[in-house]
Amino acid sequence: PDPFERPSLKRYHLSRVFTIFFLSSFVGCGLSRCSRSDLSLALEDCMAALDLFLRNEFEEAQARLRSRTKDSMYHALTYATILEMQAMMTFEPQHILAAGTTMKEAQAICQRHRKKSSFSKNFTEEELHAEVCYAECLLQRAALTFLQDENMISFIKGGIKVRNSYQTYKAFPFKQMAIVPCCSNLEIPSQMISMLPTRTLKLLEFVGFSGNKDFGLQQLQEGSKEGTFRSFLCNMLLLCYHTFMSFILGTGEGDVHDAEKLLQPYLQKYPKGSIFLFFAGRIEEMKGNLDAAITRFQECCEAQQQWKEFHHMCYWELMWCFTYKKHFKMAYFYADLLSKENCWSKATYMYMKAAYLSMLTADDCLTFGETAFTLFRQVPGLKQKIAGKSLPTEKFAIRKARRYLAENPIPLPAPPLEMMYIWNGYTVIGKHKDLTEGMLKTLDEAQKKLDSCPRTDLSIDDQCLLSLLKGLCLKHLGHQEEAEHYFTLVLCNETQIKYDHYLVPNALLEHGLLCLEQGRRDEAIKLLEAAKQNYKNYSMESRTHFRIQAALHKARGTRENGTHVPASP
């Protein structure tokens, strides 16, 4: 498609806000058809650099952009965006700092080209581009603010940046672009905002936001069909939403069909492109085609050697693919690679290594020269904060590993299977009867081992964990009455749980989803509301609230539409 074809500006401003939540996007270029002006040449050059980037020629792409970051707002913005992507993949403090500094410099360049006088209502072409670029800089700086720190002050600062960006979009002179807005009030809807937990929504309302997920997705879908450079951005945002956000923070039902449809044209054009091979692997994983997923992730690693960050993303997914297959030695191998090469969370990686070794025999562990006991004891000492931010997954791993610091440590019953639930992995194995039955067998073995050991003050916690996970397996196998029994068993032991209080709201969540599958919508909503309102200050609380919010949205949507939600196969 012609990169300088005039796209719909309304779709531009309605979709660009999603960069603050997905951060796998690229800079949008080509707002309107231009003559061979400096702007036109700059846009063309940035698009050529992006093409290099998508062909895995990362250093060449950055070098092409870097030479003009001091005088071209598009070069500066595109270069800063690539650095921000790198920061999101590595979580290295120096990468986060570099991205923030570069984005701030890009914003300053955009400010130089913005309209100086407020008396005239007419904008030059350069001023129109500068307005949009300036708004995007604010969005991406806000994203870095959220990344760096999770305290209230940083949250409000980031929210104010987003709001300032929103005001810039709202004041944009669409009439000069011969564009008629789709609605009189140029509100920026965000599907991610609508998915947030209630307490977070209240904070966002403080800086003036509300969300409409369906409308936001609709706008992205429309933008993805335009056949311009902007369609690439919309496609990437939708891919992130369908394969990650709605899966991990939702009910595990990412839209695989739409994701495949979006990815296919790019995979054909860039068959060795790391980004697209990674998404291809992720789609296969969600479908339950684990061998195909493993092949795709391995192809992604082989496609390039410049950015190891893409390798690390694949290692993480490969670790889970082998976990689903119960190939714990291979899962350990990838966890070990991550612990040596990636700085996202050393504690989490060490915990996963220990978790996998705990599922092996003593003789098997000798092969690796490490034991689960010694690795678990190292986990709390690896606690870190990335740019001031504590990772919830790391906190969870540290809490679970602390029992190994006791004089007489009490082993965890099935740690990799528990962490698998945190990442919604049971929706993957649930697509295969053999995998689900295999996982249930492993849980039964853990139950027998627990029953054979002397009772401790952690026995109820461990029993409730196994009940929750067994209930999930039974639900996916179609044994709904048995599944409901195990979810109820967790609730019956609520007052005796000592540490793992997160199990109760999650049991309510899973029980609610089971009722929803059976068409018992009112009962499902009651259980989900109880999970949402009656519990707080437990492990992985935000993630659970995201899932509850998604489940409530689904339950209320089916009730309004009068549709029946089929049971899982």
Side-chain angles (χ1 to χ4, degrees):
D2 180 0
F4 299 109
E5 178 183 350
R6 183 192 300 271
S8 167
L9 249 290
K10 70 180 177 69
R11 290 172 187 159
Y12 175 85
H13 94 277
L14 288 171
S15 63
R16 287 304 296 184
V17 71
F18 297 104
T19 50
I20 69 169
F21 297 107
F22 292 104
L23 291 176
S24 59
S25 57
F26 297 88
V27 170
C29 304
L31 290 178
S32 62
R33 185 180 295 275
C34 310
S35 62
R36 301 296 290 172
S37 62
D38 288 344
L39 265 176
S40 175
L41 292 171
L43 289 168
E44 187 176 89
D45 197 41
C46 286
M47 292 176 65
L50 177 58
D51 185 69
L52 288 172
F53 188 88
L54 298 180
R55 296 183 188 280
N56 301 330
E57 298 178 33
F58 306 124
E59 300 302 329
E60 294 85 347
Q62 290 185 76
R64 184 165 187 160
L65 293 166
R66 195 184 298 116
S67 63
R68 292 198 57 195
T69 55
K70 302 301 181 184
D71 59 86
S72 165
M73 54 186 162
Y74 274 113
H75 283 77
L77 184 52
T78 308
Y79 180 63
T81 302
I82 289 176
L83 292 185
E84 185 159 343
M85 287 178 59
Q86 187 179 31
M88 278 301 299
M89 288 190 286
T90 65
F91 278 83
E92 292 278 5
Q94 64 268 29
H95 289 163
I96 296 173
L97 181 62
T101 301
T102 308
M103 191 63 70
K104 187 175 181 180
E105 292 171 352
Q107 182 181 335
I109 293 173
C110 296
Q111 178 64 36
R112 288 207 311 260
H113 295 283
R114 294 180 74 197
K115 186 175 176 61
K116 301 298 189 295
S117 172
S118 60
F119 294 103
S120 173
K121 295 184 179 180
N122 293 321
F123 285 71
T124 66
E125 180 188 42
E126 183 179 58
E127 288 169 347
L128 290 171
H129 283 259
E131 286 298 305
V132 178
C133 289
Y134 182 83
E136 185 167 69
C137 285
L138 283 170
L139 280 177
Q140 299 207 45
R141 287 189 65 198
L144 283 169
T145 301
F146 296 141
L147 173 66
Q148 286 176 341
D149 207 325
E150 63 181 6
N151 65 40
M152 181 65 68
I153 294 176
S154 293
F155 189 91
I156 293 174
K157 284 181 178 178
I160 290 172
K161 287 186 177 73
V162 178
R163 180 165 176 77
N164 290 341
S165 177
Y166 162 73
Q167 295 294 345
T168 303
Y169 284 126
K170 186 177 180 180
F172 193 86
F174 286 92
K175 291 181 180 180
Q176 289 194 38
M177 303 298 293
I179 296 297
V180 179
C182 62
C183 54
S184 57
N185 178 22
L186 297 179
E187 177 185 3
I188 299 180
S190 168
Q191 69 260 50
M192 273 304 300
I193 291 177
S194 70
M195 293 172 63
L196 291 171
T198 304
R199 281 177 288 177
T200 309
L201 277 170
K202 291 179 180 178
L203 291 172
L204 284 173
E205 288 169 359
F206 175 76
V207 291
F209 289 101
S210 62
N212 185 326
K213 179 179 70 174
D214 294 334
F215 183 60
L217 288 172
Q218 177 191 351
Q219 292 295 301
L220 287 174
Q221 288 284 3
E222 290 183 20
S224 71
K225 298 173 184 176
E226 289 189 343
T228 66
F229 184 83
R230 183 123 312 97
S231 64
F232 169 76
L233 168 67
C234 294
N235 282 332
M236 290 300 101
L237 295 176
L238 286 167
L239 279 170
C240 287
Y241 176 75
H242 290 316
T243 62
F244 281 99
M245 304 309 295
S246 65
F247 181 87
I248 295 172
L249 300 181
T251 56
E253 299 171 338
D255 195 325
V256 171
H257 175 73
D258 280 358
E260 286 184 309
K261 187 176 178 181
L262 292 164
L263 180 62
Q264 198 56 39
Y266 294 101
L267 201 55
Q268 289 178 351
K269 184 176 181 180
Y270 303 100
K272 297 296 183 181
S274 293
I275 294 173
F276 308 116
L277 287 170
F278 176 77
F279 275 119
R282 180 65 188 168
I283 289 171
E284 294 294 344
E285 183 181 348
M286 290 173 61
K287 290 164 65 177
N289 300 334
L290 298 181
D291 290 336
I294 289 168
T295 298
R296 283 299 197 180
F297 292 131
Q298 290 173 341
E299 287 175 354
C300 181
C301 292
E302 294 168 0
Q304 57 84 31
Q305 299 298 320
Q306 289 186 13
W307 270 29
K308 290 291 186 180
E309 293 82 3
F310 281 115
H311 293 192
H312 299 159
M313 292 166 61
C314 291
Y315 294 166
W316 178 259
E317 298 300 330
L318 284 164
M319 180 187 79
W320 287 117
C321 285
F322 285 111
T323 303
Y324 303 148
K325 293 165 69 72
K326 295 204 309 180
H327 293 178
F328 296 127
K329 289 183 180 180
M330 286 300 298
Y332 167 90
F333 172 76
Y334 285 106
D336 186 51
L337 281 175
L338 286 167
S339 71
K340 293 173 180 176
E341 297 181 12
N342 189 269
C343 293
W344 171 64
S345 174
K346 296 289 187 181
T348 300
Y349 299 143
M350 187 65 72
Y351 179 83
M352 294 310 300
K353 286 178 60 178
Y356 294 127
L357 290 184
S358 73
M359 307 300 289
L360 304 177
T361 64
D363 290 339
D364 286 335
C365 290
L366 291 175
T367 305
F368 301 104
E370 296 178 307
T371 67
F373 176 80
T374 56
L375 294 183
F376 275 128
R377 296 192 68 166
Q378 294 178 44
V379 172
L382 295 172
K383 182 179 180 180
Q384 64 180 357
K385 287 190 176 183
I386 299 173
K389 182 174 182 178
S390 299
L391 298 169
T393 306
E394 180 168 283
K395 291 179 183 178
F396 181 83
I398 290 171
R399 286 170 186 159
K400 301 297 293 187
R402 279 177 182 157
R403 63 164 70 186
Y404 287 87
L405 299 178
E407 185 176 347
N408 297 307
I410 303 169
L412 291 163
L417 277 58
E418 179 181 22
M419 190 65 88
M420 195 174 93
Y421 173 69
I422 297 299
W423 291 90
N424 243 350
Y426 286 84
T427 58
V428 174
I429 66 166
K431 295 177 174 64
H432 291 280
K433 182 179 178 181
D434 58 336
L435 292 179
T436 307
E437 288 178 340
M439 205 62 69
L440 184 59
K441 182 180 179 181
T442 300
L443 290 167
D444 286 336
E445 291 169 356
Q447 181 70 62
K448 290 178 183 177
K449 188 174 181 180
L450 180 64
D451 292 341
S452 66
C453 294
R455 291 185 63 83
T456 68
D457 58 350
L458 296 176
S459 294
I460 297 297
D461 293 55
D462 292 342
Q463 176 61 63
C464 287
L465 168 64
L466 294 177
S467 294
L468 174 64
L469 301 184
K470 287 169 76 172
L472 281 167
C473 291
L474 289 165
K475 182 184 79 168
H476 287 297
L477 289 170
H479 306 310
Q480 297 178 340
E481 289 186 9
E482 291 182 70
E484 191 166 357
H485 163 74
Y486 279 108
F487 295 146
T488 304
L489 191 61
V490 178
L491 303 178
C492 291
N493 287 284
E494 175 181 354
T495 58
Q496 299 181 64
I497 293 176
K498 186 169 183 178
Y499 294 115
D500 294 333
H501 302 291
Y502 85 96
L503 294 170
V504 181
N506 278 276
L508 286 167
L509 166 61
E510 300 302 336
H511 193 176
L513 287 170
L514 177 60
C515 290
L516 186 58
E517 289 178 355
Q518 296 174 321
R520 299 150 58 188
R521 290 184 292 275
D522 291 338
E523 188 176 351
I525 291 173
K526 183 178 179 181
L527 288 166
L528 293 169
E529 286 289 353
K532 177 180 176 181
Q533 303 293 343
N534 299 340
Y535 302 92
K536 61 181 181 179
N537 300 326
Y538 54 85
S539 295
M540 306 301 293
E541 182 176 359
S542 293
R543 187 167 299 191
T544 301
H545 272 269
F546 271 111
R547 292 177 180 174
I548 293 170
Q549 192 82 355
L552 281 169
H553 180 79
K554 179 179 178 181
R556 287 167 176 154
T558 56
R559 181 167 63 179
E560 291 169 4
N561 297 331
T563 56
H564 174 69
V565 180
S568 296

